[in-house]
Amino acid sequence: MSKETRQFATETKQILDLMVNSLYSHREIFLRELISNASDALDKLRFEEINHKDWAVEDKHIRLSTDRESKTLTIHDNGIGMNRDEVIQNIGTIAYSGTKAFLKNSEKIKERPELIGQFGVGFYAVFMVADKVTLHTQRAGDAVGIIWESTGDGNYSIEEASRPQGAGTSITLHLKDMSQEDDPQDFLEEWTLRSVVKKYSDFIEYPIKMLVTREVPEFDKDGKPVEDKTKKESSDEVFNSQKAIWLRDPKDITQDEYKDFYKHVTNDWNAPLETIHYKAEGTQEFNALLYIPESVPFDYNQRDMKYGPSLYVKRVFISDNCEDLVPQYLRFVKGVVDSNDLPLNVSRELIQKDRQINLIRKALVSKILRQFKTMLTKEKDTYLKLWKVFGSTLKEGIAMDFSNKDALVELSLFKTSEREELMTLKEYVEKMPASQKDIYYMTGESLDIMKTSPYLEKLKEKNYEVILFTDSVDEWVLNSLTEYGDKKLVSITKGDLDLGTEEEKKEKEKELESKVERLKPLCESMKKALEEYIKEVKVSDRLVKSPVCLVSGEHDPSAHMERMLEKLGQAAPKTKRTLEINPNHPIFAKMEGFSEEKILNWSEILYNQALLNEGSQIKDPVKFSNQLSELMVNA
Ligand code: ADP
């Protein structure tokens, strides 16, 4: 096939432009990206060899070579290689969701180019250092190779070309002249390359080699060095130590090594918040090196987000993002799992049904949750950070994973009406006054609105703390979290609120009886006025200062839930609620003598007030404010 020139996709062009013109610091990371791709390509080949014995190569390696004259640096690998379509797909276009995120974050990336790898556009980092890149590749099993070439402007060329070395990829960078820069790095210099490899790629499993030429002393026939006489000698040197870090004894691993490996697996430039290094023995033997990131990855919670550690079998890479190794609610856990028991030819499709994978997953979840427990008791500050970033994800487990529900409940932290700091349910129960029977909670979008809510009035009076739930998953989690130990979780915005003992309850009813009787006609008129919106008007003792509030039926969705559904465009017909009135509020004594028309007017105002107090929107704000103005005029 003849040479063809093609255009980069628009976003790719924009990314290239950024690489070429705006990124100046940390340029050396291009090498990390290329080595990481080469290592992936070798992993892929090793996996394919299981079914294609004739593709097997013994001496898997990555090689660096330089040429001073042509000012080129070449990175070779004898990995899986790419065919024409794959080159166009993988190098010519960036079909990843990362592209948009990359462009959105471009200002940040200009300051910290080391973040590039996170966005799956690592290859393009070559244009930070090169003004022309030639990629020569051949896919294992193919008879002919492909040359791809670009100067980083809008186009690239692609043509067939034989590759004497067979399968693999060589990427040749025609280095830019950077000698005028403040702190120039010479990527033709062996020492520079060696230190960059050491820094970023030391644990890469395959040898990263370079043919190094040195001046060595000459020796006479007795083995003594001859003064002032040297000769040149070339030999292959391996720059990296190649240690599969997850198989090593944790005692021998430094924090820096753990961090470097974290960067390798996640492309996250920050240090991990927590490292979990675990060797499982017994029914399932495996090694796991897992990490909890410090902050939310850019693609977190996107619909197509892939998660899960990479799976290896006896050091052979099988799959990255193995979603069957951890449940969804641990989707923030990154790292590597290496099994000793799985068959090497475990196919990616079958992983899901594999019984042994399930056993590994069980063991992993239990180990991770145990480590969280230790963090909560021994490194509270670190755990608080974890909770702030990933707590709402972890909580999903309460609803999703029955067998670990109890452990997850113990790990959950809550905000309450009375204090700033987060607490566990255990702590909440320990702090409950002796008279308090149940655990009280409320759901809503805003802590500030909830903290001043009328629903809290009575509970505050009794010194009862109320747990405030603000995460969007909470309503769903609460369906599964109905009790803790022997205590029920009770919503203070639903059903009857029964705060005291049986005796107190009876006394309360007696006290209310006369008020209920007296206000009955008013309640009926109000109900008639608001029939369209509410189920009932009821005299209650839920409130202390406020005149009214809206209460959902015990098994009905809360107002917060309805607001959330509405936002998602899934609003169901609203369930009518009960308007509870505070009989001690002077408004009602006033209203008793009113005409039906005036009752209608005031009921509407009260109803809208109740909506505003709970953080809901009112239907006709203009009418509401006109009604208020009129009241003021008549006052
Ligand atoms: P990422 O590695 O994050 O996917 P890159 O831009 O670095 O993004 O690479 C894009 C893709 O090109 C890789 O996913 C891989 O499929 C392919 N690729 C890059 N380098 C090589 C290589 N040396 N051998 C085989 N395939 C490669």
Side-chain angles (χ1 to χ4, degrees), residues 345-397:
N345 59 2
V346 55
S347 83
R348 283 165 224 229
E349 295 71 40
L350 281 179
I351 288 176
Q352 209 179 349
K353 300 191 193 77
D354 196 288
R355 199 182 63 90
Q356 300 194 62
I357 291 271
N358 267 329
L359 291 173
I360 295 179
R361 171 181 158 125
K362 257 200 182 139
L364 281 178
V365 173
S366 127
K367 169 66 193 170
I368 295 168
L369 298 187
R370 264 182 289 141
Q371 180 120 352
F372 287 178
K373 185 82 207 255
T374 312
M375 285 168 76
L376 175 61
T377 41
K378 300 208 173 119
E379 304 160 47
K380 186 83 184 267
D381 286 346
T382 318
Y383 188 74
L384 284 174
K385 279 191 199 158
L386 183 150
W387 183 260
K388 284 191 181 127
V389 185
F390 299 113
S392 62
T393 310
L394 192 61
K395 255 192 290 193
E396 293 171 13

Side-chain angles (χ1 to χ4, degrees), residues 355 365 385 438 447-448 479 483 487 544-545 550 585 600:
R355 199 182 63 90
V365 173
K385 279 191 199 158
D438 298 320
L447 275 183
D448 290 339
N479 286 335
E483 45 206 60
K487 305 266 183 296
V544 179
K545 282 183 265 163
L550 284 158
H585 201 285
L600 173 79

Side-chain angles (χ1 to χ4, degrees), residues 117-298:
Q118 282 178 36
F119 301 94
V121 297
F123 176 79
Y124 293 89
V126 291
F127 290 106
M128 293 165 77
V129 295
D131 45 27
K132 185 166 118 188
V133 177
T134 312
L135 175 141
H136 193 180
T137 184
Q138 183 170 319
R139 167 82 209 207
D142 282 1
V144 67
I146 296 290
I147 287 187
W148 174 101
E149 199 163 73
S150 176
T151 50
D153 55 9
N155 308 312
Y156 63 87
S157 69
I158 189 162
E159 70 184 310
E160 275 184 358
S162 67
R163 195 171 186 279
Q165 313 95 305
T169 303
S170 313
I171 299 169
T172 300
L173 313 185
H174 302 260
L175 297 172
K176 287 183 199 174
D177 179 11
M178 289 179 278
S179 56
Q180 299 306 312
E181 288 180 10
D182 292 348
D183 189 14
Q185 275 171 296
D186 182 359
F187 295 113
L188 296 172
E189 187 61 55
E190 172 228 322
W191 188 86
T192 311
L193 296 171
R194 182 190 292 272
S195 64
V196 176
V197 167
K198 261 278 171 251
K199 184 166 171 199
Y200 297 108
S201 316
D202 192 51
F203 39 73
I204 293 286
E205 246 193 283
Y206 306 97
I208 304 168
K209 300 186 202 179
M210 187 164 169
L211 189 66
V212 178
T213 306
R214 300 195 188 289
E215 300 259 333
V216 293
E218 270 198 45
F219 296 93
D220 63 18
K221 58 181 186 305
D222 302 327
K224 279 197 198 134
V226 184
E227 224 175 301
D228 290 338
K229 262 205 142 169
T230 56
K231 60 174 181 180
K232 289 200 171 171
E233 233 177 55
S234 298
S235 64
D236 255 347
E237 289 188 16
V238 175
F239 288 175
N240 57 329
S241 58
Q242 285 173 262
K243 292 171 287 192
I245 181 171
W246 61 89
L247 297 180
R248 286 166 51 197
D249 188 335
K251 283 204 306 286
D252 305 329
I253 304 174
T254 65
Q255 283 310 310
D256 280 343
E257 285 176 306
Y258 274 133
K259 266 189 226 165
D260 285 345
F261 186 67
Y262 170 73
K263 280 182 203 163
H264 171 67
V265 287
T266 59
N267 284 315
D268 179 359
W269 209 253
N270 301 310
L273 186 66
E274 183 74 1
T275 303
I276 305 176
H277 192 172
Y278 177 49
K279 185 181 180 64
E281 273 153 348
T283 49
Q284 280 299 313
E285 275 188 26
F286 65 88
N287 290 275
L289 177 51
L290 304 175
Y291 295 98
I292 314 299
E294 186 190 70
S295 55
V296 179
F298 82 93

Side-chain angles (χ1 to χ4, degrees), residues 450-503:
M450 284 199 271
K451 279 189 171 170
T452 55
S453 160
Y455 300 96
L456 291 176
E457 291 169 359
K458 199 79 190 191
L459 291 109
K460 273 198 195 307
E461 221 180 44
K462 296 190 86 97
N463 253 335
Y464 294 175
E465 236 168 308
V466 175
I467 298 180
L468 305 176
F469 286 101
T470 49
D471 287 326
S472 46
V473 296
D474 286 334
E475 290 277 355
W476 175 55
V477 169
L478 281 161
N479 286 335
S480 306
L481 184 58
T482 49
E483 45 206 60
Y484 175 72
D486 58 352
K487 305 266 183 296
K488 275 202 301 188
L489 270 83
V490 172
S491 164
I492 62 163
T493 64
K494 286 186 182 183
D496 284 336
L497 197 58
D498 156 25
L499 295 180
T501 58
E502 278 304 309
E503 270 165 44

Side-chain angles (χ1 to χ4, degrees), residues 442 449 452-455 457 493 526 530 533-534 536 543 546-551 559-560 563 577-582 587-588 602-619 624 628:
M442 182 178 175
I449 292 185
T452 55
S453 160
Y455 300 96
E457 291 169 359
T493 64
M526 287 178 75
L530 298 171
Y533 319 109
I534 59 166
E536 203 185 341
L543 299 167
S546 308
V548 285
C549 67
L550 284 158
V551 176
H560 173 235
R563 287 194 296 271
R577 293 186 283 157
T578 300
L579 184 75
E580 291 197 2
I581 68 174
N582 173 2
I587 284 190
F588 301 104
W602 283 43
S603 299
E604 280 180 350
I605 296 174
L606 286 169
Y607 170 69
N608 282 330
Q609 278 183 342
L611 284 176
L612 290 175
N613 284 348
E614 66 175 20
S616 292
Q617 282 191 341
I618 59 178
K619 222 172 159 186
F624 177 67
L628 282 187

